Amino acid sequence: MLEADDIRVAPNFTLPELTKSSTADRMGIENAPDNDQVLVNLVNVANHVLQPCRDKFGPIRVNSGYRGPDLNKAVGGSSKSQHCHGEAVDFECSRIGNDELAEWIRDNLEFDQLILEFYQKGKPSSGWVHCSYKTNGENRQKVMTALRVNGKTEYKEGIIK
């Protein structure tokens, strides 16, 4: 019988990597995909975003992938979040700065949204990269940076370092 840990969504990524959440664990929230389309979306974001980054830079750490409704509410996520549909992932790579990772994705991959989140100039490992991919092919190639300004999140166009 196939165990969840054995389900590969890409050559170097498993389903549990894209559904794991310390918040869900802490709060006892089940965070399994609730329909086949979410699984299809997770396979696509893994193969079109994560795997190319892994192939280029080595191991990737997924911070947040799929978020079911209860988990999304618990973390204060937007009801429109692509994480809720399995289309988005937040991740980092210890071998390259998050700013450089975001620039490489911008220049080399197809994606819907790419956000360099909370990067601090001169601190390569600060923040993380958020990237989404739409299975329907309607990817906008939208690039932004999320900044903390006076305690609030502001989104600016482009990658700001």
Side-chain angles (χ1 to χ4, degrees):
M1 184 171 194
L2 195 61
E3 295 291 323
D5 288 347
D6 298 329
I7 298 173
R8 293 220 166 259
V9 293
N12 294 102
F13 296 93
T14 63
L15 181 60
E17 285 179 277
L18 299 182
T19 60
K20 175 90 172 111
S21 165
S22 57
T23 301
D25 291 345
R26 187 173 60 253
M27 298 180 77
I29 297 170
E30 175 65 35
N31 193 45
D34 55 3
N35 63 63
D36 290 345
Q37 187 60 54
V38 169
L39 288 172
V40 169
N41 294 343
L42 287 169
V43 166
N44 277 294
V45 77
N47 282 282
H48 291 275
V49 176
L50 292 174
Q51 191 63 48
C53 291
R54 168 69 162 79
D55 293 344
K56 178 72 175 173
F57 301 112
I60 298 294
R61 182 177 64 251
V62 175
N63 300 331
S64 180
Y66 172 70
R67 280 188 267 179
D70 293 339
L71 177 58
N72 193 57
K73 184 177 180 181
V75 300
S78 166
S79 61
K80 298 177 185 176
S81 173
Q82 289 179 287
H83 285 281
C84 298
H85 304 287
E87 295 176 333
V89 63
D90 297 341
F91 61 101
E92 303 175 68
C93 177
S94 62
R95 295 185 181 171
I96 186 172
N98 289 322
D99 58 331
E100 294 178 70
L101 179 58
E103 289 174 329
W104 185 84
I105 293 167
R106 177 196 63 201
D107 297 342
N108 293 282
L109 300 181
E110 180 181 352
F111 56 87
D112 186 49
Q113 270 191 342
L114 170 66
I115 307 172
L116 177 60
E117 299 207 48
F118 309 110
Y119 174 79
Q120 298 172 26
K121 186 175 182 172
K123 296 182 180 178
S125 64
S126 64
W128 60 88
V129 173
H130 165 99
C131 195
S132 64
Y133 182 88
K134 289 186 147 304
T135 299
N136 66 11
E138 296 176 8
N139 291 297
R140 300 171 288 171
Q141 299 295 115
K142 186 173 184 177
V143 179
M144 296 180 290
T145 299
L147 304 166
R148 183 95 49 220
V149 179
N150 297 322
K152 295 188 178 192
T153 302
E154 288 188 13
Y155 292 91
K156 306 283 186 183
E157 281 194 38
I159 294 175
I160 300 170
K161 295 168 49 160

